[in-house]
Amino acid sequence: MNYLVQEKHSGERIDKFLVGVMENVSRTDVQKLIAAGEVKVGGAPASKNFRVETGMVVVVEKLIEKPSSTLEPEDIPLDIVYEDEDIVVLNKPRNLVVHPGSGVSKGTLAAGLLHHFKDNLSAVNGPLRPGIVHRLDKDTPGLMVVAKNDAAHRHLAHQLETRTLHRTYNALVWGCPRDLEGCIDAPIGRNPKNRLKMAVVKGGKESRTHFVAKQFFAIATLLELQLESGRTHQIRVHTRYTGHPVVGDPLYDGREESLNRVPPLMKEIAEKMLEIAPAQLLQAVKIELIHPRTGKKMKFKVPMEEPFAKVLKLLKKECPADAPVFDEEEGFHEFDADIRFDEGFDDELDEESLDKFDECVFPELKERKTRAQRHAEKAATAAHRRAKAAERKLIRQMKSARRKGISAEDFVEPGYEPTIDPDLL
């Protein structure tokens, strides 16, 4: 099959061009054809990054043969938020797989859609994914949009690609992120040590997650997140990468692995929190899109699911906290509950006196010192300076805490320190 490039398509990537001119194919199908060498320009196989120009003829020698559908309709209840002749917005429950795959063939959202809407679903993504434009993880509940025809599907897919379709998530993460808002920009790919998991890896796909801290607790923080890209497990991987896994996440250190960051007095609350959380406390709470037919902007929102709301209620009652404060010298730091100080310190202690080195520590010797002795003295001097620096920092923390009216009983031993994947250093 030959396709002539018109002027309006000049400069487009070849996979995007073919999706626009071919019928009933997805971008994934086209990329498979390119990888197989079935797409040629000027007699030579085209690369995946090739950009077409006006007047070129793109030749597709063979089409991908899609597997025949083995999907059977199933009467699965659907929580439909909105429906018209083009789209369906629904609230996917927890513990429901979106489409068949990875050993799952029955009990999927796709089978439920087929039962409810029969042939009134788009076929762009093949017979096993009728109407499916995007997906959510099995244990991530929340809003999804489904296409009832191919034209609506392509319009929504284009919105995803151009980032005009916005999905907003809420996630409860362990601890408090150092930055109260920002963007996690780290490439995601298959974990080389465990193929069932994803990870931040060199050479992974470009991935960005924007976040804002909304509510604060002594052991956790509620984040609002938006995806700039849509990689598998993206939010769960990115929050784990920053040292703050999603609470309850069984795959990315969000359960018992994170209990060591909790102060002893809070451990019982943390354990109760994990008992309530069936899996990761992550939910797609809002979706904004442009209607494929009318061009009207539409917004949909759902309340927190019951386990998520129950955990937040527990935290508000047992361990509420204020937002971290900004210190001009140290910037944002962890919750004040992580500071520890001694009542014996004097507010008026002269910090400059700590800079003076005790000359009696190493008395001057008349005889020549050995090399080992000189090294030992240097090590001891460095250790002494580090101790004094730590003491000065502790005094600053103590003064800052007292200015805020915090008593000594409120302070505990500092807990977990975030880590960064050493492969990216």
Side-chain angles (χ1 to χ4, degrees), residues 9-40:
H9 296 298
S10 181
E12 288 184 350
R13 271 179 44 147
I14 193 166
D15 54 351
K16 183 178 179 181
F17 165 73
L18 289 175
V19 168
V21 297
M22 297 176 70
E23 295 182 357
N24 297 326
V25 295
S26 66
R27 200 158 187 170
T28 301
D29 294 332
V30 172
Q31 289 169 347
K32 288 180 180 178
L33 287 171
I34 294 171
E38 302 293 347
V39 178
K40 296 182 179 180

Side-chain angles (χ1 to χ4, degrees), residues 333-363:
H333 52 78
E334 294 292 323
F335 291 118
D336 294 336
D338 287 341
I339 303 173
R340 183 184 181 186
F341 68 92
D342 221 309
E343 280 293 331
F345 280 109
D346 182 7
D347 280 338
E348 303 302 324
L349 183 62
D350 183 11
E351 294 182 21
E352 292 183 0
S353 64
L354 298 175
D355 294 327
K356 297 178 181 178
F357 185 75
D358 189 353
E359 296 179 356
C360 298
V361 175
F362 303 115

Side-chain angles (χ1 to χ4, degrees), residues 269-323:
I269 298 170
E271 290 172 347
K272 187 174 181 180
M273 186 169 65
L274 289 179
E275 288 177 9
I276 298 172
Q280 64 268 15
L281 292 181
L282 171 66
Q283 181 180 359
V285 294
K286 186 165 64 176
I287 190 166
E288 301 177 45
L289 56 89
I290 300 171
H291 194 278
R293 187 181 298 271
T294 66
K296 178 182 176 182
K297 288 186 178 180
M298 308 182 75
K299 296 182 181 180
F300 303 94
K301 190 175 182 180
V302 290
M304 287 283 193
E305 62 154 355
E306 185 178 351
F308 206 150
K310 194 173 180 181
V311 167
L312 291 179
K313 185 177 180 181
L314 172 70
L315 292 175
K316 288 177 185 177
K317 179 182 177 182
E318 301 294 343
C319 52
D322 295 326

Side-chain angles (χ1 to χ4, degrees), residues 121-132:
L121 293 167
S122 73
V124 172
N125 276 341
L128 297 180
R129 302 182 184 185
I132 303 297

Side-chain angles (χ1 to χ4, degrees), residues 148-282:
K148 297 180 76 174
N149 54 66
D150 290 357
H153 190 127
R154 291 195 177 92
H155 195 284
L156 292 170
H158 179 70
Q159 290 183 52
L160 281 171
E161 183 182 349
T162 56
R163 304 184 183 94
T164 53
L165 190 156
H166 301 288
R167 294 163 289 167
T168 302
Y169 297 79
N170 280 349
L172 186 69
V173 300
W174 290 101
C176 177
R178 182 183 63 184
D179 299 315
L180 304 187
E181 62 178 292
C183 176
I184 306 170
D185 186 353
I188 292 178
R190 190 67 61 179
N191 190 327
K193 297 180 181 179
N194 184 345
R195 305 301 293 175
L196 298 177
K197 298 170 67 175
M198 308 300 286
V200 172
V201 295
K202 293 179 180 178
K205 293 183 178 179
E206 188 176 272
S207 309
R208 294 186 185 88
T209 304
H210 299 269
F211 69 92
V212 178
K214 288 296 184 180
Q215 286 185 276
F216 304 91
F217 309 99
I219 58 176
T221 304
L222 179 66
L223 300 182
E224 182 179 279
L225 310 104
Q226 284 196 348
L227 302 180
E228 191 173 316
S229 51
R231 310 303 177 201
T232 302
H233 301 170
Q234 180 171 322
I235 290 175
R236 299 161 66 187
V237 172
H238 270 172
T239 53
R240 171 63 188 89
Y241 171 68
T242 61
H244 301 279
V246 176
V247 172
D249 192 339
L251 197 59
Y252 296 101
D253 302 336
R255 299 194 72 84
E256 286 73 16
E257 301 87 348
S258 290
L259 285 177
N260 64 344
R261 69 164 33 186
V262 179
L265 294 179
M266 297 287 183
K267 187 150 290 187
E268 184 177 346
I269 298 170
E271 290 172 347
K272 187 174 181 180
M273 186 169 65
L274 289 179
E275 288 177 9
I276 298 172
Q280 64 268 15
L281 292 181
L282 171 66

